[in-house]
Amino acid sequence: MAEPKDPLSMRCPESMTAVAASTTSLGTRAPAALTLRVVAECSRSKARACELRLPHGTVATPVFMPVGTQGTMKGVTAAQLDNLGCRICLGNTYHLGMRPGPELIQKASGLHGFMNWKRNLLTDSGGFQMVSLLALSEVTEEGVRFRSPYDGAEILLSPEKSVEIQNALGSDIMMQLDDVVSSTLTGSRVEEAMHRSIRWLDRCILANQRPDQQNLFAIIQGGLDPALRRKCLEEMTKRNVPGFAIGGLSGGESKEQFWKMVTLSTDQLPREKPRYLMGVGYATDLVVCVALGCDMFDCVFPTRTARFGSALVPTGNLQLKKKQFAKDFRPIDEACTCPTCQRHTRAFLHVLLHSNNTAALHHVTVHNIAYQLQLMNAIRTSIVEHRFPEFVQNFIKTMYGEVGHCPTWAVEALQSVGISLS
Amino acid sequence: MTKLIPIGCTRRQGYRAIVLRPGAQELENNFTMKLSLSRVVQGCRLGTLSNLGKKGDRCMEFPGCLLYTRTGSAPHLTHDTLQVISGVPAMTQLTLSSLAEHYEILEEYKEGIGKFIGMPESVFYCSLHDPVNPCPAGFVTNKSVSVWGVGGRLEMTVAKFMAIQQALQPDWLQCLSDGEALCADASSSKRAKKSVDRTLAFLDECLKLQEQSEVLRSCVMIGVIEGGDILEERLRSARETAKRPVVGFLLDGFHGDAMTKETRLRLISSVTAELPENKPRLICGIGQPDEVLECIEAGVDLFESFFPYQATERGCALTFSFDYEPNPEDMVLQQNGQKEGEENGEHIDKIITTKCVPETSFEINLKEKMYRDDFGPLVGGCSCYCCKNHSRAYVHHLLVTNELLAGVLLMMHNFQHYFGFFHAIREALRKDRLGQLKELIYRQAC
């Protein structure tokens, strides 16, 4: 069901439709649902600080996007998430497509309306979940065929179907359906998946019924093979998509292979479009990959580890359930401005985590989200203030004590973009 | 050092003079709390407790309830989500069962439980047990009472109990008591008598220890009325406890199925008739709206708020109306809304699977399929965070997908709804509309 294209209409009261970043073949201006403005660039590394304008507001990058899988950020309310400064978060197409389903969400005015989140949303295609969660999924040229774990029905998730669901969800950024293979896989399957992903990208672009309100991102595949990656980059960058994700990493591959694929990818991606590195969320990885030129990140780690009582701090993490915190009357992090650290001690959280009151989990979740957002903010400020390399050096020192303890891959990755750690 | 205590509820019946132990008089004098009774309507007391808290600057209206907590925190709620709720009571209930095992930590912390849990502004009442988690019976002796924490059973002698309270520093504390008069299969007069004797003995020992501690003197004792279902024992407990320098009274052992409703209310009325007017009466284990009203009529002032928590845990939203003066238009809408719900429910019953049954008639179970595409608020007209921002459909989705946010949102609504109910009781008493409120509540109590 195609909606009439009216460049000046404001269909979503809260949305900001930015005007003209692209022109159609007829020379008329089509509204762009995304504009990226590079605010500052590191003179040494590939790091940049940008402003990303999306239908539900501006997002400062580099940005970490918390993952709210089923239309909720676990025990954190939309108001709390907003107060923490979050301006974009994730929803999962696979989960929401299963429950409660796209028709219901559309009735609820999209995912924004359903979860009452007024800021930006990014949805993935559902492809990754399918491959990782389902024992019996089968990939064909058509799409991914699988059995619903809820009622056993056979379902085909095609590029068209994935985009259709994401159109119903109404996310500001949606991801193409890609042919996902494990990063440890080698051989012809990887190449097949890369080529198929390109074909699926084209099908997704065609299927997008709301390009003026929803931005479809391509996902660069190619596994750990530089030649395949380059081929994929060459082809996908020919397509007029508003942004690119670097996919197929953050699986079981070695960090050494990982960073090389990241930097290879950013080298070939256009400057004026955002680069989204999927599935990355550990602090060190974030810092390094910003240096390598990435703008956007997502990961379940911070929120998931919170629910196990693990609080993120500049020196790593605190396992708050452990005895050593029983009489520790300091906040999780003295420098943290989050509501948990403003009011509570490690000792109290220790006690609460040993009870069955879920409030304990929420306290740590709030803190971990705040930690991630504060980290990205600090990174960004250092880029804007032209002292990103110094920031990196301090970060590594705090996290690892001394340079010698910093993992080799990180040292080499930073070295490759002109940041030395001695 | 004699003290005059009124016999019965009204001063007309005269006074009885008793002799206090030396230290006790001092303790009595230390009470800064003041109870002002503004009206008594059909047995229901309406008033204010003032000069509460360590600084003596807090106050609380009654009839009212206390904020229910589990291990020192409102269930599911952080400070941010708690403070968005309207009508949060000034006094918070802590349970010794959830905190006793941590007393060494609190001893080292030194600054008391309020600050430790991040609620420095609240006033605290520490009860022995958690109304939601009954503990195994049979562990009360002449020398000790046990509570059950995460780490298992914690046995407390009077000395241990007072040491723990010294570390916690609550404003009010339920004195050590024997609440097991009705725990055995057959209620016995002997067991009832023992519960009263033991509880009085515990009280006297605790008071003695309290005199010896500066810190403990600011934690005032709530005397516990025991006696099972034996009237004489209940009266004896009330009269004897009233002689001691306690700041208020807890009517224990009236919850559950141990006695019939008639017996319960009769005993409660008899007990409160023996208690001084100027001290608050608390009851534990009573939370259902109709039972709350009955107890208020029987002379009870303060209740716990575990009932909204229980509703939350069963995936239910409190929806009972306490609007005894509704807009005639709203009434029609309300009726229609209910009808629709019933129709949908029946229709779906025919097609699909098990229908979830709400625990009480005061709530709706959001897991029911009929709410899957109901985009209205939990309760029309409710101004809580959940009703202003979310729909029944969303909460249904959260419950079906087992998401943590379900508990958060339901707790926010259920607490606000329940606190609103107590506000309505006070208003009804103020405006002489108690009969209408009673009729409305009892009508919903099927």
Side-chain angles (χ1 to χ4, degrees):
Chain A
M1 186 185 75
E3 286 181 293
K5 292 189 195 296
D6 178 355
L8 299 175
S9 79
M10 293 280 275
R11 259 183 296 280
C12 296
E14 299 101 8
S15 75
M16 275 170 43
T17 340
V19 175
S22 62
T23 54
T24 66
S25 54
L26 294 174
T28 53
R29 295 167 115 206
L34 180 154
T35 50
L36 184 82
R37 184 170 81 90
V38 179
V39 170
E41 283 170 296
C42 175
S43 55
R44 241 189 281 167
S45 69
K46 298 198 274 178
R48 57 285 173 84
C50 309
E51 230 178 55
L52 181 62
R53 285 188 175 208
L54 292 165
H56 283 84
T58 305
V59 176
T61 73
V63 65
F64 175 78
M65 305 179 284
V67 181
T69 308
Q70 302 197 95
T72 154
M73 192 57 61
K74 299 304 163 185
V76 175
T77 65
Q80 284 177 297
L81 193 58
D82 191 300
N83 287 337
L84 287 171
C86 180
R87 296 293 173 257
I88 180 169
C89 67
L90 260 71
N92 278 118
T93 298
Y94 169 75
H95 291 96
L96 293 168
M98 292 282 105
R99 301 183 299 187
E103 299 82 11
L104 188 88
I105 294 190
Q106 191 154 36
K107 255 199 245 178
S109 308
L111 188 54
H112 287 93
F114 190 56
M115 57 186 285
N116 199 23
W117 174 245
K118 297 186 164 56
R119 308 287 188 177
N120 294 295
L121 281 168
L122 185 153
T123 49
D124 67 341
S125 63
F128 178 74
Q129 270 76 38
M130 257 180 309
V131 168
S132 61
L133 295 178
L134 299 169
L136 296 161
S137 63
E138 192 204 343
V139 180
T140 65
E141 187 60 26
E142 253 191 306
V144 185
R145 201 172 286 282
F146 65 102
R147 280 199 180 280
S148 159
Y150 303 110
D151 59 8
E154 240 199 49
I155 303 180
L156 171 72
L157 187 72
S158 62
E160 291 76 16
K161 187 69 188 172
S162 173
V163 170
E164 186 189 315
I165 298 174
Q166 293 184 80
N167 275 154
L169 298 179
S171 48
D172 303 273
I173 297 175
M174 43 188 213
M175 307 307 295
Q176 69 156 114
L177 182 68
D178 51 346
D179 187 359
V180 183
V181 295
S182 162
S183 54
T184 50
L185 205 63
T186 53
S188 64
R189 178 72 184 100
V190 184
E191 179 161 8
E192 178 194 51
M194 184 272 283
H195 284 292
R196 180 171 291 139
S197 295
I198 298 170
R199 292 192 294 275
W200 282 4
L201 171 60
D202 289 337
R203 284 166 63 181
C204 285
I205 292 171
L206 276 176
N208 185 6
Q209 298 288 336
R210 309 173 78 229
D212 52 342
Q213 279 168 310
Q214 294 186 259
N215 298 286
L216 179 73
F217 274 26
I219 307 181
I220 310 295
Q221 293 292 346
L224 302 172
D225 184 332
L228 290 178
R229 281 259 161 201
R230 285 201 191 92
K231 181 71 186 163
C232 195
L233 282 155
E234 189 190 316
E235 283 306 316
M236 287 191 172
T237 50
K238 288 179 190 166
R239 276 74 176 166
N240 185 18
V241 286
F244 296 91
I246 301 167
L249 300 174
S250 245
E253 78 279 0
S254 76
K255 275 302 206 292
E256 204 184 301
Q257 296 166 302
F258 160 77
W259 79 260
K260 291 192 174 136
M261 291 298 105
V262 173
T263 204
L264 182 158
S265 303
T266 56
D267 277 340
Q268 253 180 274
L269 286 171
R271 176 182 176 272
E272 335 69 44
K273 292 186 178 176
R275 298 93 171 258
Y276 165 27
L277 182 57
M278 305 182 83
V280 168
Y282 292 142
T284 303
D285 300 1
L286 292 170
V287 171
V288 172
C289 293
V290 166
L292 299 182
C294 298
D295 308 308
M296 302 164 68
F297 306 87
D298 81 286
C299 192
V300 294
F301 168 70
T303 38
R304 181 172 290 168
T305 207
R307 298 194 296 283
F308 289 96
S310 174
L312 301 176
V313 290
T315 49
N317 66 73
L318 308 177
Q319 303 292 338
L320 292 170
K321 286 171 104 161
K322 292 222 157 112
K323 261 209 188 101
Q324 66 188 98
F325 298 108
K327 294 183 181 174
D328 190 337
F329 302 127
R330 299 172 287 176
I332 293 172
D333 182 2
E334 305 269 7
C336 180
T337 56
C338 86
T340 304
C341 290
Q342 292 303 291
R343 190 170 277 267
H344 298 295
T345 61
R346 300 169 181 194
F348 171 61
L349 294 170
H350 173 85
V351 163
L352 202 60
L353 281 164
H354 283 286
S355 76
N356 67 358
N357 192 335
T358 69
L361 312 179
H362 311 328
H363 284 302
V364 189
T365 302
V366 161
H367 168 79
N368 283 3
I369 293 174
Y371 171 80
Q372 298 286 110
L373 299 182
Q374 280 166 131
L375 173 63
M376 300 315 282
N377 210 16
I379 290 173
R380 187 175 197 271
T381 306
S382 74
I383 298 171
V384 169
E385 293 178 359
H386 304 291
R387 51 176 180 82
F388 178 65
E390 290 78 30
F391 174 87
V392 176
Q393 285 158 354
N394 280 332
F395 170 85
I396 297 291
K397 205 182 295 174
T398 308
M399 182 67 80
Y400 297 101
E402 37 172 288
V403 176
H405 294 156
C406 178
T408 314
W409 75 269
V411 178
E412 288 174 356
L414 291 166
Q415 190 74 56
S416 79
V417 288
I419 299 182
S420 80
L421 290 179
S422 48
Chain B
M1 259 158 294
T2 36
K3 178 184 161 187
L4 292 175
I5 50 168
I7 300 169
C9 206
T10 63
R11 298 188 198 285
R12 268 185 293 133
Q13 286 171 267
Y15 291 83
R16 183 168 47 233
I18 57 154
V19 181
L20 293 174
R21 285 179 345 273
Q25 179 67 69
E26 226 181 281
L27 281 176
E28 185 80 52
N29 291 341
N30 271 347
F31 295 160
T32 50
M33 182 212 76
K34 199 171 84 107
L35 184 151
S36 320
L37 205 54
S38 47
R39 337 181 57 193
V40 181
V41 176
Q42 295 170 44
C44 307
R45 296 151 41 97
L46 174 72
T48 312
L49 297 169
S50 44
N51 304 339
L52 293 169
K54 299 286 193 310
K55 292 190 203 148
D57 60 349
R58 308 300 309 282
C59 62
M60 181 166 65
E61 290 186 294
F62 61 90
C65 64
L66 312 185
L67 175 69
Y68 174 66
T69 63
R70 294 176 68 80
T71 315
S73 164
H76 305 298
L77 305 179
T78 64
H79 174 80
D80 293 337
T81 41
L82 177 64
Q83 65 157 16
V84 169
I85 301 173
S86 309
V88 177
M91 187 174 284
T92 299
Q93 174 189 7
L94 304 167
T95 58
L96 200 60
S97 49
S98 65
L99 298 171
E101 63 198 301
H102 304 296
Y103 97 95
E104 275 170 21
I105 299 173
L106 287 152
E107 247 178 5
E108 190 152 326
Y109 183 70
K110 293 183 178 45
E111 295 181 79
I113 189 69
K115 211 157 166 248
F116 184 73
I117 61 178
M119 296 181 71
E121 321 86 17
S122 188
V123 184
F124 294 97
Y125 161 65
C126 184
S127 66
L128 256 187
H129 300 293
D130 187 319
V132 173
N133 305 115
C135 56
F139 288 92
V140 183
T141 71
N142 287 339
K143 290 270 176 249
S144 70
V145 172
S146 294
V147 290
W148 272 257
V150 174
R153 183 167 80 95
L154 198 105
E155 188 171 359
M156 297 180 295
T157 56
V158 168
K160 177 112 194 182
F161 173 76
M162 291 307 272
I164 294 172
Q165 296 293 359
Q166 176 149 312
L168 288 176
Q169 299 161 40
D171 299 285
W172 290 1
L173 64 102
Q174 172 187 348
C175 192
L176 209 59
S177 55
D178 175 356
E180 297 187 2
L182 295 170
C183 287
D185 284 326
S187 96
S188 92
S189 186
K190 237 179 167 179
R191 186 63 184 85
K193 179 178 187 302
K194 197 187 271 193
S195 74
V196 177
D197 290 336
R198 272 183 181 158
T199 302
L200 286 168
F202 285 146
L203 177 57
D204 288 336
E205 283 181 63
C206 287
L207 285 169
K208 221 193 290 185
L209 283 181
Q210 191 182 32
E211 290 165 35
Q212 296 163 12
S213 159
E214 186 70 54
V215 170
L216 281 174
R217 273 191 238 161
S218 60
C219 314
V220 286
M221 215 81 71
I222 297 281
V224 189
I225 313 296
E226 298 289 352
D229 57 1
I230 310 295
L231 179 62
E232 296 85 66
E233 288 306 318
R234 283 285 177 183
L235 294 176
R236 184 169 72 95
S237 182
R239 288 170 192 147
E240 286 301 316
T241 309
K243 293 176 186 172
R244 275 74 171 169
V246 293
V247 76
F249 304 92
L250 173 69
L251 278 63
D252 191 17
F254 287 108
H255 49 277
D257 300 319
M259 40 181 121
T260 65
K261 183 198 282 278
E262 292 73 36
T263 307
R264 172 166 77 223
L265 293 176
R266 206 178 348 111
L267 287 173
I268 294 176
S269 299
S270 308
V271 164
T272 58
E274 298 295 321
L275 299 175
E277 273 181 3
N278 67 339
K279 291 183 180 178
R281 302 88 177 264
L282 293 75
I283 197 164
C284 54
I286 302 284
Q288 215 167 270
D290 52 334
E291 294 177 359
V292 165
L293 281 178
E294 287 163 354
C295 288
I296 292 173
E297 280 186 300
V300 177
D301 305 322
L302 295 171
F303 299 80
E304 301 160 315
S305 59
F306 63 89
F307 179 71
Y309 167 71
Q310 289 175 315
T312 302
E313 295 311 283
R314 16 177 208 262
C316 293
L318 295 181
T319 51
F320 67 94
S321 173
F322 42 81
D323 188 4
Y324 54 88
E325 284 182 327
N327 193 330
E329 274 177 29
D330 290 343
M331 283 222 60
V332 175
L333 285 172
Q334 254 178 48
Q335 278 166 6
N336 285 346
Q338 259 182 333
K339 259 214 194 114
E340 257 173 49
E342 281 159 23
E343 277 171 12
N344 281 345
E346 278 163 44
H347 174 69
I348 286 160
D349 256 349
K350 286 179 195 143
I351 301 175
I352 315 178
T353 54
T354 47
K355 183 181 176 184
C356 311
V357 180
E359 196 63 56
T360 74
S361 50
F362 299 100
E363 59 207 62
I364 55 171
N365 192 321
L366 268 309
K367 283 187 249 172
E368 286 184 30
K369 283 198 159 73
M370 72 169 94
Y371 299 116
R372 190 180 177 272
D373 54 0
D374 186 340
F375 294 110
L378 299 185
V379 170
C382 176
S383 62
C384 83
Y385 175 85
C386 182
C387 289
K388 295 228 321 252
N389 291 288
H390 296 291
S391 61
R392 292 172 168 190
Y394 184 60
V395 178
H396 172 88
H397 163 72
L398 296 175
L399 286 165
V400 163
T401 55
N402 248 306
E403 283 285 343
L404 289 167
L405 193 64
V408 177
L409 295 179
L410 281 174
M411 193 74 263
M412 291 173 85
H413 169 81
N414 288 341
F415 265 151
Q416 182 153 327
H417 195 88
Y418 201 64
F419 301 152
F421 168 54
F422 278 91
H423 177 83
I425 297 175
R426 295 190 291 271
E427 284 302 294
L429 288 172
R430 241 186 288 276
K431 298 178 182 160
D432 256 316
R433 292 272 190 274
L434 181 67
Q436 277 158 274
L437 178 59
K438 273 172 64 177
E439 199 258 329
L440 175 61
I441 294 295
Y442 294 152
R443 207 193 319 143
Q444 298 172 87
C446 15

